[in-house]
């Protein structure tokens, strides 16, 4: 019975993880982020790192592994995670054409769009920091 549960849980996790990564890759978020950052030659690297990071994150979370990386490590990983979430949310918004549609409906000049996008990203980072540091008591 335990073997069945282990196999079932592992295969379910692999299917869900593969589905999420496939969605990110097929929708075109990774290529679009690479295009915006002028790093198109690294698209395959980004996709591999996404798969490896997802796998390691899942493995660490289900095994309840604790890694001591110090304050500098926490800052580096926290900033990296914040940058990833910011890129991901802005990439999804751009792919769904949310910002151009909202700007047309709200009659916002295109000159101000980059400032609005930057303020959204800064707000996301600050909100994540507040949620991580203050609300969760980290």
């Amino acid at each position: 019975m335990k073997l069945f549960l282990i196999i079932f849980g592992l295969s379910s996790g692999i299917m869900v993880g593969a589905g999420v990564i496939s969605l990110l890759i097929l929708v075109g978020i990774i290529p679009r982020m690479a295009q915006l950052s002028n790093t198109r030659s690294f698209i395959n690297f980004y996709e591999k790192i996404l798969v490896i990071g997802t796998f390691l994150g899942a493995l660490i979370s289900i095994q309840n592994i604790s890694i001591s990386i110090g304050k500098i490590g926490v800052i580096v990983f926290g900033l990296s995670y914040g940058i990833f979430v910011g890129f991901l949310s802005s990439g999804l918004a751009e792919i769904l054409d949310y910002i151009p549609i909202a700007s047309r409906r709200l009659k916002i000049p295109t000159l101000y769009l980059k400032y609005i996008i930057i303020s959204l990203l800064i707000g996301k980072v600050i909100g994540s920091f507040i949620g991580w540091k203050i609300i969760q008591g980290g």
Side-chain angles (χ1 to χ4, degrees):
M1 186 65 170
K2 282 187 178 182
L3 181 64
F4 171 74
L5 291 175
I6 290 170
I7 292 172
F8 181 76
L10 186 63
S11 29
S12 297
I14 289 171
M15 288 173 48
V16 169
V20 169
I21 291 171
S22 297
L23 176 71
L24 293 176
I25 292 170
L26 290 175
V27 169
I29 292 172
I30 304 295
R32 183 63 181 144
M33 287 190 328
Q35 179 184 5
L36 290 174
S37 62
N38 294 325
T39 56
R40 290 188 75 99
S41 59
F42 293 105
I43 289 177
N44 288 332
F45 175 72
Y46 293 152
E47 291 173 349
K48 289 175 186 172
I49 290 298
L50 181 66
V51 171
I52 291 168
T54 303
F55 174 75
L56 290 177
L59 189 64
I60 288 171
S61 69
I62 63 172
Q63 292 298 320
N64 202 13
I65 297 172
S66 176
I67 301 172
S68 178
I69 56 176
K71 290 182 180 180
I72 301 296
V74 170
I75 291 170
V76 169
F77 281 102
L79 284 173
S80 299
Y81 180 72
I83 290 169
F84 173 75
V85 170
F87 265 119
L88 184 63
S89 62
S90 63
L92 279 171
E94 185 170 328
I95 285 175
L96 297 173
D97 288 332
Y98 171 75
I99 293 173
I101 291 170
S103 68
R104 280 194 300 270
R105 290 192 180 169
L106 297 174
K107 297 178 182 159
I108 299 172
T110 56
L111 174 67
Y112 300 116
L113 282 180
K114 66 180 172 183
Y115 300 114
I116 292 171
I117 293 170
I118 290 170
S119 67
L120 288 171
L121 293 175
I122 291 171
K124 178 65 179 164
V125 169
I126 292 171
S128 295
F129 179 74
I130 289 171
W132 175 60
K133 190 69 175 164
I134 296 172
I135 296 173
Q136 293 181 357

